[in-house]
Amino acid sequence: MKDVHAMAPAQGRLTLRQVGVSGIRKPIAIQRADRVITLSGEFSVAVDLPSGRKGSDLSRNAELLAEIVDQTVMRPAESLESACSEIGRELLARHPYATESHVSATAEYFLRKGISEDRTSLENYTLLADAHARRTEDSTVELVRGIGAEAVGMTACPCAMETCRERLAKTYPLLNDPSMKDLPMITHNQRNRTRLMFDLSPGVEVEVDDIIAAIEAAQSSPTYAILKRGDEAQLVLNAHRQPKFVEDVLRDLLAGLSKRFPSLPDSVIVQAKTTSEESIHKYNVAASHQITLGELRENSAQ
Amino acid sequence: MKDVHAMAPAQGRLTLRQVGVSGIRKPIAIQRADRVITLSGEFSVAVDLPSGRKGSDLSRNAELLAEIVDQTVMRPAESLESACSEIGRELLARHPYATESHVSATAEYFLRKGISEDRTSLENYTLLADAHARRTEDSTVELVRGIGAEAVGMTACPCAMETCRERLAKTYPLLNDPSMKDLPMITHNQRNRTRLMFDLSPGVEVEVDDIIAAIEAAQSSPTYAILKRGDEAQLVLNAHRQPKFVEDVLRDLLAGLSKRFPSLPDSVIVQAKTTSEESIHKYNVAASHQITLGELRENSAQ
Amino acid sequence: MKDVHAMAPAQGRLTLRQVGVSGIRKPIAIQRADRVITLSGEFSVAVDLPSGRKGSDLSRNAELLAEIVDQTVMRPAESLESACSEIGRELLARHPYATESHVSATAEYFLRKGISEDRTSLENYTLLADAHARRTEDSTVELVRGIGAEAVGMTACPCAMETCRERLAKTYPLLNDPSMKDLPMITHNQRNRTRLMFDLSPGVEVEVDDIIAAIEAAQSSPTYAILKRGDEAQLVLNAHRQPKFVEDVLRDLLAGLSKRFPSLPDSVIVQAKTTSEESIHKYNVAASHQITLGELRENSAQ
Amino acid sequence: MKDVHAMAPAQGRLTLRQVGVSGIRKPIAIQRADRVITLSGEFSVAVDLPSGRKGSDLSRNAELLAEIVDQTVMRPAESLESACSEIGRELLARHPYATESHVSATAEYFLRKGISEDRTSLENYTLLADAHARRTEDSTVELVRGIGAEAVGMTACPCAMETCRERLAKTYPLLNDPSMKDLPMITHNQRNRTRLMFDLSPGVEVEVDDIIAAIEAAQSSPTYAILKRGDEAQLVLNAHRQPKFVEDVLRDLLAGLSKRFPSLPDSVIVQAKTTSEESIHKYNVAASHQITLGELRENSAQ
């Protein structure tokens, strides 16, 4: 059969940066400490395409994903990002004309959590992973991996809390009594969606459950599926004791990373984004930042 | 050219209920009291298909939508639902083999609103409209229309408010002072999405701005794009003065319809659904109901 | 603590049809013939709410879902719809004031398939299930279950095929040679999305893999993740040998059900919808129908 | 009232890169050569936040959007990107503590098109615009703008066309006749989604209708809402006469830009991405590239 992909392109002889397949859905089995879990994931992969070649051999991408990801049912992967790394390397092996590969994946993930030990259930999160492999001049492969997660939690606005207190104190003068100074005050709450991602160099590992814990610690409160009446009051109280703008969520998240991940090298790049689906507006508010762990450490040392 | 659509189907000689096109995006110009507005709408249309015919003439649907909707740029429509009605009738004219037509449309809609007169801006809503036309035995056409809207507002939970009050009163005994009885108490708020739809008989008209007003009156508070610090406190206070479950939003919405729409006949069917995107959970809570205005009136007379 | 939910509603003393939680994400483990599979599912549950009660006890819904669905990790469910049925019954037990419950669930599902035995991989589908339980006058519970699936496949338009043949025959007179009569002709293809759902009475069972097989047999061709060059040609050829309108997909699907599911009783209600994401338009075409197996059998006997 | 935003952050004294509001829906009126059009747009805006400040004054963003975008109803904007530029500059004026602003917007756009002059209707596209303003050391503002569009069209696969021809020639030997050499052959078609964006320096203008024309010329064929039987055959024929991989769409699009936009300076950065929603797979294939017009010109001169 004529190999149309290997022919020269009709015009526009450009090396294209990324050609691949996107939105492939796959189950992926992952080995956790105590058991194997199966996640529903979505994968996108791409390689560059040299100027002399009309098309990229896309069927190789689907084959490779089937081999590596489908096989985890038999032989579970270590993690979503380890699967991405393996895919990234293998893409370069199967596309000998390519010099770079890009892999990204998301998967729904569940952790048993609860506001108390006897009220736990499986809470849903999103895992994020990517890999970027590059063929070097001496034909070895350099690989950069990313690992992250998104967690939905709650924020309570610190500003409305203050203005409501001032306003209510006019009608309810007892609010000015010193004993009432710390009474949590009404404000507006939102569903908050925060993601944190680490770009890791070779040999460095991060546990995704720790990423989720870092995010939930930075929100006004985590959220839970099961809340009996007393739990609900407790969670509301917790959130109002820690009122936060998205700016606070982002800064608290980043400021806490040095302590949470002391062994990670300074070169690790951190990306974070937090979005609050405002209850008082029809739109969202969002804050995002990118920084290295080294810069974060320098900053907190000041 | 061979008319493949008019041929007999290979097998399965069934009269199919609905065959048509969906997700057609169109701008539609509508005449309001004071000016013409242009909305971005999405239309879906279908007719039934008799058992002896292989295919429905779908290009007629696209032509008809172009003629009726595109033409509103020149000659604005009275309303989204009047356009749907015209499309519904015309579908039967252009598909002589069909006995029924179904049209549905949604469009983004903007109204100038604000928490006060000097803080207004354009707030976004969704218009809903449909039409169902039926060819009767004497070849006249019976038409039923639906008109509705969805509005995003805010709810504050009445239950957490009570349990938080009980719990905080232990730490802050001044809360038990009679003067503090009505102090609005912390709870959790959510972004709430409520839709209301009327199925109207011929000759009966409803103004969509009145539907949106009915929905916003039933939520704990409407929401606004622009809120300066004092406004934000006012909105939070308003919402906490009207704490509502989704059940309350739904009942208050339905209970208010008789007064808001006194001239509508008893036969009008009302559908309502309200969804709160919970700030304390990762999932939503929702309530829905369907009832006639007659039943609502009987109920409120008791 | 004050039970706010059990209080009387402020106004609008209506029995509400459906009050519940929606969009809860849960992993669900299911026992297949040869192994246990874990799916990512989304659940929505609701019960009716009597006129004298302000709120539904929504935390019971989350508890119940945790108990029934989370527990499948230990003790796999028989199927998604058996889990829905169990949830539907248990909702009535935990909401003693309710007379009806509604459960619906979707889950992503994977089956190993391929155009040939040595080119298989995991293909993704959507499972659909629901349950509706009703408390009867003698306090027993009546249950109706629904089970279904959605599969993405391919359609090739039979009409453009004919008009292209007529047009090309003018330029390529050899097309009129009798030997060329069956040469598959160019047309337009689309990604097609078809769903089929059965409403089952007690004791009746349907295997979801058979539903998926029925859908794929009705499309112009199933689609596969891995297609080497020869496979791709084969699939294209297969699809062009079976050109189908959405009307044909729907009729062929329904016409085949009697043979595929001979033991299902006449009372079973079938709902089917097929949507083609047109390659020649920016919008979709769709066809849908609802019918009983009895009516289908009568029809095919004519 | 206490200005909570201006207070010092509790911890994590970082300058945050982007803090703002996202997903604000607004109608925007734009002056075209012959008339005013109103589009439904979505806006996201952000500024940086210095380390000493707890929060960004987000209500100023909503006010500013209301002033600039809502006012276009009275005084139409020149274009979506001119509105974004004005917003970007004004963000820096209203957030005196910020040094950078980011604005992005999308809007649905309609153009009257058809396969022939007597078959036109309004086709839908997506406009893309962004602006990035930076306060320089001498307190002037530097602004970079982006303008782009996304158009949905059709692709026909060139590879399957060749393998189908080879395979069919065995069964239909007349296909080997020299007169049949150019007979368009069956293949698979997809709905293709292509976006092109220019990053412009000050004073440089691009007309968005020209961007859309460039995209549609690079696909196998544009698509149209209204196609009578003969038109459909014509469009199918056109697409099969120009079979294209996503790689071809991308290269042909980029290769054509020098001729289409001769007056644009070499420094303009072009970003392009094309995605085909495969009819033979459940996933998509995609290709993307970024390059300057100068590099493109050098490349085409070789």
Side-chain angles (χ1 to χ4, degrees):
Chain A
M1 279 180 291
K2 203 193 285 186
D3 186 350
V4 178
H5 298 85
M7 290 163 54
Q11 60 166 335
R13 298 197 168 212
L14 289 165
T15 293
L16 297 178
R17 290 199 180 184
Q18 295 200 25
V19 177
V21 303
S22 65
I24 304 198
R25 308 282 320 175
K26 287 280 178 195
I28 176 164
I30 290 175
Q31 181 68 55
R32 305 295 296 165
D34 52 340
R35 68 192 195 291
V36 172
I37 58 172
T38 307
L39 310 178
S40 274
E42 183 166 311
F43 295 82
S44 295
V45 306
V47 295
D48 57 331
L49 181 69
S51 59
R53 207 181 147 87
K54 181 177 169 75
S56 187
D57 248 323
L58 298 177
S59 67
R60 292 184 195 171
N61 299 349
E63 277 183 316
L64 190 161
L65 280 163
E67 285 173 33
I68 296 179
V69 184
D70 290 4
Q71 286 316 310
T72 63
V73 176
M74 304 303 183
R75 186 178 50 90
E78 207 181 297
S79 64
L80 186 63
E81 75 274 12
S82 72
C84 285
S85 295
E86 194 183 342
I87 295 165
R89 284 181 188 284
E90 194 60 25
L91 280 168
L92 289 185
R94 308 239 181 143
H95 293 277
Y97 45 79
T99 63
E100 291 190 87
S101 71
H102 296 265
V103 183
S104 66
T106 62
E108 196 173 18
Y109 180 61
F110 299 93
L111 283 176
R112 176 162 294 280
K113 299 217 172 187
I115 196 164
S116 64
E117 295 219 348
D118 54 336
R119 291 268 204 282
T120 64
S121 72
L122 292 172
E123 297 286 328
N124 57 300
Y125 302 92
T126 305
L127 296 195
L128 311 166
D130 59 37
H132 172 215
R134 206 169 60 80
R135 215 188 290 276
T136 58
E137 286 190 12
D138 60 350
S139 288
T140 59
V141 169
E142 273 182 12
L143 188 93
V144 182
R145 295 160 302 139
I147 166 176
E150 182 178 285
V152 173
M154 181 182 179
T155 54
C157 175
C159 172
M161 197 171 270
E162 285 310 310
T163 46
C164 283
R165 189 185 304 274
E166 287 177 35
R167 175 173 296 216
L168 288 169
K170 294 175 192 156
T171 318
Y172 304 91
L174 284 183
L175 284 175
N176 296 316
D177 187 274
S179 74
M180 298 293 265
K181 198 175 64 108
D182 295 330
L183 176 75
M185 195 48 52
I186 60 168
T187 186
H188 54 94
N189 315 121
Q190 8 295 327
R191 190 179 279 183
N192 174 273
R193 210 172 280 281
T194 299
R195 56 171 60 199
L196 174 65
M197 190 136 195
F198 292 99
D199 275 354
L200 303 175
S201 29
V204 181
E205 299 295 338
V206 176
E207 184 52 56
V208 76
D209 292 10
D210 296 335
I211 296 179
I212 290 171
I215 296 172
E216 292 193 324
Q219 293 164 322
S220 289
S221 172
T223 58
Y224 301 106
I226 304 179
L227 294 172
K228 302 304 288 184
R229 221 164 290 147
D231 307 327
E232 193 185 7
Q234 186 60 52
L235 190 150
V236 167
L237 201 50
N238 293 349
H240 285 75
R241 291 274 190 224
Q242 296 212 61
K244 297 203 180 186
F245 292 138
V246 285
E247 294 93 324
D248 298 315
V249 174
L250 188 57
R251 280 180 171 137
D252 294 352
L253 173 59
L254 293 171
L257 294 182
S258 297
K259 266 195 201 141
R260 282 182 179 272
F261 301 95
S263 62
L264 288 186
D266 281 357
S267 59
V268 168
I269 300 167
V270 179
Q271 296 173 64
K273 177 165 189 179
T274 179
T275 303
S276 276
E277 298 168 9
E278 296 287 295
S279 63
I280 59 166
H281 299 301
K282 296 177 184 75
Y283 54 79
N284 302 333
V285 308
S288 60
H289 199 55
Q290 178 175 320
I291 194 168
T292 65
L293 276 184
E295 290 167 309
L296 274 177
R297 282 168 185 149
E298 229 171 272
N299 190 283
S300 68
Q302 286 170 352
Chain B
M1 282 181 289
K2 203 192 282 185
D3 186 350
V4 179
H5 298 86
M7 289 164 54
Q11 61 166 335
R13 300 200 170 210
L14 289 165
T15 292
L16 297 178
R17 290 198 181 185
Q18 294 199 26
V19 178
V21 302
S22 65
I24 304 199
R25 308 282 320 176
K26 287 280 178 195
I28 177 165
I30 290 174
Q31 180 68 55
R32 305 295 296 165
D34 51 340
R35 68 192 194 290
V36 173
I37 58 173
T38 306
L39 310 178
S40 274
E42 183 166 312
F43 294 82
S44 295
V45 305
V47 295
D48 58 331
L49 181 69
S51 59
R53 206 181 149 87
K54 181 178 170 74
S56 186
D57 248 324
L58 298 177
S59 66
R60 291 183 196 172
N61 299 348
E63 277 184 315
L64 190 159
L65 281 164
E67 286 173 33
I68 295 179
V69 183
D70 291 4
Q71 286 316 309
T72 62
V73 175
M74 304 303 180
R75 189 178 47 91
E78 208 179 299
S79 64
L80 185 65
E81 75 276 12
S82 72
C84 285
S85 295
E86 193 183 341
I87 295 165
R89 284 182 188 282
E90 194 60 25
L91 280 169
L92 289 186
R94 308 242 179 139
H95 294 277
Y97 46 79
T99 63
E100 290 190 87
S101 72
H102 296 266
V103 183
S104 67
T106 62
E108 195 172 19
Y109 180 61
F110 298 93
L111 283 176
R112 178 162 292 279
K113 298 217 175 188
I115 196 165
S116 64
E117 295 218 347
D118 53 337
R119 291 270 204 279
T120 63
S121 71
L122 292 171
E123 296 287 328
N124 57 301
Y125 301 92
T126 305
L127 297 194
L128 311 165
D130 59 36
H132 173 214
R134 206 171 59 81
R135 216 187 291 277
T136 58
E137 286 191 11
D138 59 350
S139 289
T140 59
V141 169
E142 273 181 12
L143 187 93
V144 182
R145 295 161 302 140
I147 167 177
E150 181 177 285
V152 172
M154 182 183 180
T155 54
C157 176
C159 172
M161 197 171 270
E162 285 311 309
T163 46
C164 284
R165 189 186 304 274
E166 286 177 36
R167 174 173 296 218
L168 288 170
K170 294 174 193 158
T171 318
Y172 304 91
L174 285 183
L175 282 177
N176 295 316
D177 188 274
S179 74
M180 298 293 266
K181 200 176 62 109
D182 295 330
L183 176 75
M185 195 47 52
I186 60 167
T187 185
H188 54 92
N189 316 120
Q190 7 295 327
R191 191 180 277 182
N192 174 272
R193 212 172 279 281
T194 299
R195 56 170 60 198
L196 174 65
M197 190 134 193
F198 291 100
D199 275 354
L200 302 175
S201 30
V204 182
E205 300 296 338
V206 175
E207 184 52 53
V208 76
D209 291 10
D210 296 336
I211 295 179
I212 290 170
I215 295 172
E216 292 194 324
Q219 293 164 322
S220 289
S221 172
T223 58
Y224 301 106
I226 304 179
L227 293 173
K228 303 304 287 182
R229 219 164 290 146
D231 307 326
E232 193 185 7
Q234 186 60 52
L235 190 152
V236 167
L237 201 51
N238 292 349
H240 285 75
R241 290 273 189 224
Q242 296 211 62
K244 297 203 180 187
F245 291 139
V246 286
E247 295 92 325
D248 297 315
V249 174
L250 189 56
R251 279 179 172 139
D252 294 352
L253 173 59
L254 294 171
L257 294 182
S258 298
K259 266 197 200 140
R260 281 182 181 272
F261 301 95
S263 63
L264 288 185
D266 281 357
S267 59
V268 168
I269 301 167
V270 179
Q271 296 174 64
K273 176 164 190 179
T274 179
T275 303
S276 276
E277 297 168 9
E278 296 288 294
S279 62
I280 59 165
H281 299 302
K282 297 177 184 73
Y283 54 79
N284 303 332
V285 308
S288 60
H289 199 56
Q290 179 176 319
I291 194 169
T292 64
L293 276 184
E295 291 167 310
L296 274 177
R297 282 167 184 148
E298 231 173 87
N299 190 284
S300 68
Q302 285 171 354
Chain C
M1 280 181 293
K2 202 192 286 185
D3 186 350
V4 179
H5 298 86
M7 289 165 53
Q11 60 166 336
R13 298 199 168 210
L14 289 166
T15 292
L16 297 178
R17 291 197 180 185
Q18 296 200 25
V19 178
V21 303
S22 64
I24 305 198
R25 308 282 320 176
K26 286 280 179 197
I28 178 165
I30 290 175
Q31 181 68 56
R32 305 295 297 167
D34 51 341
R35 69 193 193 291
V36 173
I37 58 172
T38 307
L39 311 179
S40 273
E42 183 167 311
F43 294 82
S44 296
V45 306
V47 296
D48 57 331
L49 181 70
S51 59
R53 207 182 148 87
K54 182 177 169 75
S56 187
D57 249 323
L58 298 177
S59 66
R60 291 182 196 172
N61 299 349
E63 277 184 315
L64 191 160
L65 281 163
E67 287 173 33
I68 296 179
V69 183
D70 290 4
Q71 286 316 308
T72 62
V73 176
M74 305 302 182
R75 188 179 45 90
E78 207 180 298
S79 63
L80 186 64
E81 75 275 12
S82 72
C84 286
S85 296
E86 194 183 342
I87 295 165
R89 285 183 188 283
E90 195 60 24
L91 280 169
L92 289 185
R94 308 242 180 140
H95 294 276
Y97 45 79
T99 62
E100 292 190 86
S101 71
H102 295 267
V103 184
S104 66
T106 61
E108 195 173 18
Y109 180 61
F110 297 93
L111 283 177
R112 177 163 292 280
K113 298 217 174 187
I115 197 164
S116 64
E117 296 218 347
D118 53 337
R119 291 271 204 279
T120 65
S121 72
L122 292 172
E123 297 287 327
N124 58 299
Y125 302 93
T126 306
L127 296 195
L128 312 166
D130 60 36
H132 173 215
R134 206 171 58 81
R135 216 188 288 279
T136 58
E137 286 190 11
D138 59 351
S139 290
T140 59
V141 168
E142 274 181 11
L143 188 93
V144 182
R145 295 161 300 140
I147 168 177
E150 182 178 285
V152 172
M154 182 182 179
T155 54
C157 174
C159 171
M161 198 172 269
E162 285 310 309
T163 45
C164 283
R165 188 185 305 273
E166 286 177 35
R167 175 173 297 219
L168 288 169
K170 293 176 194 157
T171 317
Y172 303 91
L174 285 183
L175 284 176
N176 295 318
D177 186 274
S179 75
M180 298 292 266
K181 198 175 65 110
D182 295 329
L183 176 76
M185 196 45 53
I186 60 167
T187 185
H188 55 94
N189 315 122
Q190 9 294 327
R191 191 180 276 182
N192 174 274
R193 210 172 279 282
T194 299
R195 55 171 60 199
L196 172 66
M197 190 136 194
F198 291 99
D199 275 354
L200 302 175
S201 30
V204 182
E205 299 296 338
V206 176
E207 184 51 55
V208 76
D209 292 10
D210 296 336
I211 296 180
I212 289 170
I215 296 172
E216 293 193 323
Q219 293 164 322
S220 289
S221 172
T223 59
Y224 301 106
I226 305 178
L227 293 173
K228 302 304 287 183
R229 217 164 293 147
D231 307 326
E232 194 185 6
Q234 185 61 52
L235 191 150
V236 167
L237 200 52
N238 293 349
H240 284 75
R241 291 273 190 224
Q242 295 211 62
K244 296 203 181 187
F245 291 138
V246 285
E247 294 93 323
D248 297 315
V249 173
L250 189 57
R251 279 181 172 137
D252 294 352
L253 173 59
L254 293 170
L257 294 181
S258 299
K259 264 195 201 143
R260 281 181 180 273
F261 301 95
S263 62
L264 287 186
D266 281 357
S267 60
V268 169
I269 300 166
V270 179
Q271 295 172 64
K273 177 165 189 178
T274 180
T275 303
S276 276
E277 298 168 9
E278 296 287 295
S279 62
I280 58 165
H281 299 301
K282 297 178 183 74
Y283 54 79
N284 302 332
V285 309
S288 61
H289 198 57
Q290 179 175 319
I291 194 168
T292 65
L293 277 184
E295 291 168 310
L296 273 178
R297 283 168 183 147
E298 230 172 89
N299 190 283
S300 68
Q302 285 169 354
Chain D
M1 281 181 290
K2 203 192 285 185
D3 186 349
V4 179
H5 297 86
M7 290 164 53
Q11 60 166 336
R13 298 199 169 209
L14 289 166
T15 293
L16 297 177
R17 291 198 180 183
Q18 296 200 25
V19 178
V21 302
S22 64
I24 304 197
R25 307 281 321 175
K26 288 279 178 196
I28 178 166
I30 290 175
Q31 180 69 55
R32 304 295 296 165
D34 52 340
R35 69 194 194 289
V36 172
I37 58 173
T38 307
L39 311 179
S40 274
E42 183 166 310
F43 294 83
S44 296
V45 305
V47 295
D48 57 332
L49 181 69
S51 58
R53 207 182 147 86
K54 182 177 170 74
S56 186
D57 250 323
L58 298 178
S59 66
R60 290 182 197 172
N61 299 349
E63 277 184 315
L64 191 160
L65 281 164
E67 286 173 33
I68 296 178
V69 183
D70 291 4
Q71 286 317 309
T72 62
V73 176
M74 303 303 181
R75 187 178 48 91
E78 208 181 298
S79 64
L80 185 63
E81 75 276 12
S82 71
C84 286
S85 295
E86 193 183 343
I87 294 165
R89 284 181 188 284
E90 195 59 26
L91 281 168
L92 289 185
R94 309 241 179 141
H95 294 277
Y97 45 79
T99 63
E100 291 190 86
S101 71
H102 296 266
V103 183
S104 66
T106 61
E108 195 173 19
Y109 180 61
F110 298 94
L111 282 177
R112 176 162 293 280
K113 298 216 175 190
I115 197 165
S116 64
E117 295 220 347
D118 54 336
R119 292 271 204 278
T120 65
S121 72
L122 292 171
E123 297 287 328
N124 57 301
Y125 302 93
T126 305
L127 296 195
L128 312 165
D130 60 35
H132 172 215
R134 205 170 60 81
R135 216 188 290 279
T136 58
E137 286 191 11
D138 59 350
S139 288
T140 58
V141 169
E142 274 181 12
L143 188 93
V144 182
R145 295 162 300 141
I147 167 176
E150 182 177 286
V152 172
M154 181 182 180
T155 54
C157 175
C159 172
M161 197 171 271
E162 285 310 309
T163 45
C164 284
R165 188 186 304 273
E166 286 177 35
R167 175 174 296 219
L168 288 170
K170 294 174 193 158
T171 318
Y172 304 91
L174 285 184
L175 284 176
N176 296 316
D177 187 275
S179 74
M180 298 293 267
K181 198 174 65 110
D182 295 329
L183 176 76
M185 195 47 52
I186 59 168
T187 185
H188 55 93
N189 316 121
Q190 8 293 328
R191 191 180 276 183
N192 174 273
R193 211 172 280 281
T194 300
R195 56 171 59 199
L196 173 65
M197 191 135 193
F198 292 99
D199 275 354
L200 303 175
S201 30
V204 181
E205 300 296 338
V206 176
E207 184 52 54
V208 76
D209 292 10
D210 296 336
I211 295 180
I212 290 170
I215 296 171
E216 293 194 324
Q219 294 165 321
S220 289
S221 171
T223 59
Y224 300 107
I226 305 179
L227 294 173
K228 303 304 288 184
R229 218 164 292 146
D231 307 326
E232 195 185 7
Q234 185 61 52
L235 190 151
V236 167
L237 201 50
N238 293 348
H240 284 75
R241 291 272 190 223
Q242 296 212 62
K244 296 203 181 187
F245 292 138
V246 286
E247 294 92 324
D248 297 314
V249 173
L250 188 57
R251 280 181 171 138
D252 293 351
L253 173 59
L254 293 171
L257 294 182
S258 298
K259 265 196 202 142
R260 282 183 180 272
F261 301 95
S263 62
L264 287 186
D266 281 357
S267 59
V268 168
I269 301 167
V270 179
Q271 295 173 66
K273 178 165 188 179
T274 179
T275 304
S276 276
E277 298 168 8
E278 295 288 295
S279 62
I280 59 165
H281 299 301
K282 297 178 183 73
Y283 55 79
N284 302 332
V285 308
S288 60
H289 198 57
Q290 180 175 318
I291 194 168
T292 64
L293 277 184
E295 290 168 310
L296 273 177
R297 283 169 184 147
E298 230 172 272
N299 190 283
S300 68
Q302 285 172 350

